[in-house]
């Protein structure tokens, strides 16, 4: 490229210290790829687990250090700064979301690494390229081959999840969306058992995900055509001073919203969720259900609060309608499910609707102790509670098995309370938390988002949410009744003995659900101290 006379090329400034958590995750993921290429097969499992745990812990430590050193932003009443030549916003909400993602990813690694439940091998296919039922697949199973590539794939997905909500412009946000999505498409098709169902789930997720990405990128083009910039701050300024081009702006907001709402499983963009959750390996389902939703809601908050904040009155009615549809569809269709993973998938859809209720609560409200509770604080807290409950619940699902592996049909869960009363009790507690029963984190999370919505004048939406919560409680309680008060079918359910890794996941999920229900103050304060988004 030839530069005009007098012009010099100026390299962009990269603040490596601010971006260190992101760089650590991507760096370790690349090292993991090299391990797959050069390390002996029999050593890859241990090396990859060590790398994944070390990388996530290192990124978590770096996140704490960066968060502690954030400075006041000169133009907004928030802490943080914009890095990578304006592409990434390193602020309080970013740090909170990164910390939450990394903690949940840390325990998700333990689920991925579980071997005891499958007789000494992981639950991922030994040779993904082998067609189901062929001699190549049988040989891979006989030799006990394992796909340790799942760990670098997971790390790449985590990196994308961290980049997505931290993006300060639409192009970077799209890149983050694709980085987190592509590894998940692969991971969903790697189940060792029921491979055809797993591959079908991966194909559905890939095709619909690619379709939603098309909407997202076309929406970016429309917004760019309106604002003349992809930077969220510039877009907000263009909307504030708008004098025309309304159709172009609204079309862009609508199409970008389609791509974002697809990732959070909001109706009517939810159809992929039950099929993918059912077909994917349960460890992947747990990771995806918790972490993807946190990353996607973080990006949704930043995009609509920062970029489209000046057009709030234009997009709020859309969010109202989608929130109601999501809550109703998720709760009503969950009543008809006979598979535990599909039921939890529709539960996840309903929770997306409840979070959207808090999303419209724009104003701050006074809480009982005199502090301030904003909609951002409420949504961040709900995401934390939801993440721990979800991973814990799916970890329990991995332990209920029969001769064919995991048994997810609800009829096979009848009598589980007699076979394994402790495990059934823990699962029942997770279900009660999802239903929003007092003294669980689910109740505190719903209280936070409902209070925030009422403060923003969305009390009719809260009334609908409360009524839907009553409906949702029914299908949670139905499973509890099935486990404790129904006669087992045949020999009844069998509970496999996991290793210490799955036990840790369940224990952490249970402890967090209890602690955040009884003492939510520290996490609420941490969410409050995150402040607001910067531009």
């Amino acid at each position: 490229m030839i530069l005009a006379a007098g012009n010099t090329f100026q390299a962009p400034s990269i603040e490596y210290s601010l971006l260190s958590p992101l760089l650590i995750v991507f760096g370790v993921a690349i090292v993991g790829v090299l391990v797959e290429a050069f390390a002996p097969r029999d050593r890859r499992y241990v090396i990859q687990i060590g790398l994944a745990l070390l990388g996530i812990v290192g990124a978590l430590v770096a996140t704490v250090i960066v968060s502690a050193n954030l400075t006041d932003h000169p133009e907004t009443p928030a802490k943080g700064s914009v890095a990578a030549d304006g592409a990434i916003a390193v602020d309080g909400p970013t740090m909170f979301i990164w910390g939450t993602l990394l903690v949940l990813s840390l325990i998700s690694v333990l689920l991925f690494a579980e071997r005891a439940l499958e007789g000494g091998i992981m639950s991922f296919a030994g040779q993904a390229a082998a067609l189901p039922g062929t001699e190549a697949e049988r040989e891979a199973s006989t030799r006990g081959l394992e796909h340790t590539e799942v760990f670098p794939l997971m790390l790449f997905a985590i990196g994308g999840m961290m980049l997505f909500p931290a993006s300060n412009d639409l192009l970077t946000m799209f890149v983050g969306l694709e980085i987190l999505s592509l590894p998940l498409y692969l991971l969903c098709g790697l189940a060792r058992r029921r491979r055809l169902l797993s591959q079908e789930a991966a194909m559905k997720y890939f095709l619909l995900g690619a379709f939603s990405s098309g909407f997202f990128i076309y929406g970016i083009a429309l917004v760019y055509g309106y604002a003349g910039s992809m930077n969220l701050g510039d877009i907000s300024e263009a909307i504030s001073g708008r004098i025309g081009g309304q159709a172009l702006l609204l079309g862009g907001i609508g199409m970008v919203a389609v791509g974002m709402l697809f990732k959070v499983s909001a109706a009517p963009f939810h159809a992929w969720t039950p099929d993918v959750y059912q077909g994917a390996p349960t460890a992947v389902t747990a990771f995806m259900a918790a972490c993807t939703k946190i990353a996607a809601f973080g990006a949704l908050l930043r995009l609509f609060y920062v970029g489209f904040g000046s057009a709030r009155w234009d997009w709020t009615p859309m969010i109202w309608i989608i929130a109601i549809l999501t809550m109703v569809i998720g709760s009503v269709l969950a009543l008809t499910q006979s598979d535990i993973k599909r039921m939890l998938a529709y539960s996840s859809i309903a929770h997306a609707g409840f979070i959207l209720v808090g999303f419209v609560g724009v104003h701050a409200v006074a809480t009982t102790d005199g502090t301030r509770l904003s909609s951002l604080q409420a949504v961040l807290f709900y995401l934390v509670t939801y993440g721990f409950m979800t991973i814990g619940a799916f970890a329990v699902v991995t332990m209920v098995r029969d001769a064919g592996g995991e048994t997810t049909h609800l009829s096979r869960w009848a009598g589980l309370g007699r076979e394994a009363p402790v495990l059934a009790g823990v699962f029942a507690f997770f279900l009660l938390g999802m239903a929003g029963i007092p003294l669980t984190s689910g109740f505190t999370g719903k209280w936070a988002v409902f209070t925030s919505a009422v403060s923003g004048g969305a009390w009719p939406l809260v009334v609908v949410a409360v009524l839907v919560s009553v409906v949702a409680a029914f299908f949670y309680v139905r499973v509890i009744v099935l486990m404790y008060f129904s006669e087992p079918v045949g020999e009844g359910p069998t509970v496999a003995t996991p290793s210490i890794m799955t036990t840790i996941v369940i224990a952490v999920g249970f402890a967090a659900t209890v602690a955040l229900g009884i003492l939510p103050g520290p996490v609420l304060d941490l969410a409050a101290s995150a402040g607001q988004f910067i531009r």
Side-chain angles (χ1 to χ4, degrees):
M1 184 177 71
I2 301 175
L3 296 176
N7 292 338
T8 58
F9 176 77
Q10 184 176 359
S13 174
I14 306 296
E15 296 79 358
Y16 293 103
S17 60
L18 290 177
L19 302 179
S20 57
L22 202 60
L23 298 176
I24 289 172
V25 171
F26 282 127
V28 174
I30 294 172
V31 173
V33 173
L34 296 177
V35 168
E36 288 299 318
F38 298 107
R41 182 181 291 274
D42 58 346
R43 298 182 184 177
R44 293 177 192 170
Y45 173 79
V46 174
I47 296 174
Q48 292 286 22
I49 293 176
L51 275 175
L53 293 176
L54 185 64
I56 294 174
V57 171
L60 186 58
V61 172
T63 299
V64 173
I65 294 173
V66 172
S67 179
N69 293 316
L70 290 181
T71 57
D72 292 334
H73 193 263
E75 299 177 5
T76 59
K79 288 185 176 183
S81 59
V82 178
D85 204 26
I88 300 175
V90 182
D91 53 18
T94 296
M95 294 295 101
F96 187 94
I97 293 170
W98 283 6
T100 305
L101 282 173
L102 290 169
V103 171
L104 293 173
S105 298
L106 188 64
I107 61 176
S108 295
V109 169
L110 301 181
L111 274 185
F112 273 56
E114 177 61 62
R115 274 177 158 180
L117 297 177
E118 289 286 350
I121 52 179
M122 294 192 300
S123 59
F124 297 95
Q127 189 171 343
L131 293 175
T134 61
E135 182 62 32
E137 185 190 44
R138 286 191 291 272
E139 180 183 356
S141 178
T142 302
R143 293 172 57 191
L145 298 182
E146 293 181 307
H147 255 309
T148 50
E149 293 97 328
V150 297
F151 294 103
L153 283 173
M154 181 187 190
L155 287 171
F156 278 119
I158 294 168
M161 291 173 185
M162 294 172 68
L163 179 62
F164 195 31
S167 302
N168 195 50
D169 66 60
L170 294 177
L171 191 59
T172 305
M173 192 169 285
F174 178 73
V175 171
L177 173 64
E178 295 306 300
I179 293 174
L180 79 89
S181 298
L182 292 175
L184 291 179
Y185 298 152
L186 293 172
L187 289 171
C188 287
L190 293 180
R192 182 174 291 275
R193 301 176 185 266
R194 301 178 183 176
R195 289 205 51 215
L196 285 176
L197 187 64
S198 179
Q199 291 177 352
E200 178 187 352
M203 183 59 68
K204 287 180 178 178
Y205 193 22
F206 168 68
L207 291 176
L208 292 175
F211 194 55
S212 71
S213 294
F215 274 93
F216 189 80
I217 196 69
Y218 190 64
I220 289 175
L222 293 179
V223 173
Y224 178 76
Y226 172 82
S229 174
M230 292 190 183
N231 183 273
L232 298 185
D234 294 340
I235 293 170
S236 179
E237 290 181 7
I239 295 174
S240 299
R242 58 181 163 172
I243 56 175
Q246 191 81 354
L248 197 64
L249 172 64
L250 295 181
I253 291 176
M255 290 197 170
V256 168
V258 170
M260 303 291 280
L261 294 170
F262 174 87
K263 280 300 175 186
V264 302
S265 306
F269 317 108
H270 68 284
W272 63 275
T273 310
D275 291 336
V276 173
Y277 279 30
Q278 181 184 20
T282 304
V284 175
T285 304
F287 170 64
M288 182 170 56
C291 296
T292 302
K293 197 176 292 289
I294 291 172
F297 264 111
L300 191 70
L301 286 165
R302 184 177 298 278
L303 179 60
F304 278 82
Y305 280 14
V306 177
F308 303 145
S310 301
R312 180 178 298 122
W313 298 112
D314 295 314
W315 55 256
T316 296
M318 174 188 70
I319 299 296
W320 274 54
I321 294 170
I322 291 175
I324 293 172
L325 277 176
T326 305
M327 289 186 294
V328 172
I329 289 175
S331 298
V332 172
L333 293 184
L335 295 171
T336 65
Q337 301 306 308
S338 58
D339 185 276
I340 192 71
K341 289 175 74 174
R342 291 183 71 89
M343 189 207 77
L344 291 174
Y346 280 107
S347 168
S348 172
I349 295 169
H351 280 290
F354 293 134
I355 297 172
L356 287 173
V357 171
F359 186 82
V360 300
V362 177
H363 304 288
V365 296
T367 57
T368 54
D369 60 356
T371 61
R372 307 291 289 178
L373 176 66
S374 67
S375 56
L376 176 59
Q377 179 187 0
V379 171
L380 291 177
F381 179 79
Y382 197 110
L383 291 173
V384 174
T385 64
Y386 167 81
F388 283 104
M389 286 189 297
T390 300
I391 287 185
F394 278 110
V396 173
V397 171
T398 64
M399 296 174 57
V400 183
R401 314 177 77 82
D402 58 15
E406 292 176 6
T407 176
T408 57
H409 198 279
L410 283 176
S411 63
R412 300 292 298 163
W413 285 59
L416 182 64
R418 304 177 190 176
E419 175 69 22
V422 175
L423 186 70
V426 170
F427 190 69
F429 189 78
F430 286 133
L431 294 178
L432 293 175
M434 293 178 185
I437 302 301
L439 298 182
T440 66
S441 61
F443 171 79
T444 314
K446 285 186 177 179
W447 166 82
V449 294
F450 291 172
T451 304
S452 174
V454 170
S455 73
W459 64 265
L461 195 57
V462 174
V463 171
V464 175
V466 171
L467 294 176
V468 171
S469 295
V470 175
V471 176
F474 177 80
F475 62 80
Y476 293 124
V477 173
R478 182 186 64 167
V479 177
I480 297 173
V481 171
L482 184 73
M483 291 191 297
Y484 283 98
F485 302 103
S486 297
E487 292 296 326
V489 176
E491 297 180 357
T494 301
V495 177
T497 303
S499 70
I500 187 64
M501 291 185 285
T502 298
T503 305
I504 290 174
V505 175
I506 296 174
V508 170
F510 181 82
T513 304
V514 173
L516 294 176
I518 299 175
L519 294 172
V523 177
L524 279 171
D525 292 341
L526 190 62
S529 66
Q532 297 297 318
F533 293 113
I534 63 171
R535 298 182 180 180

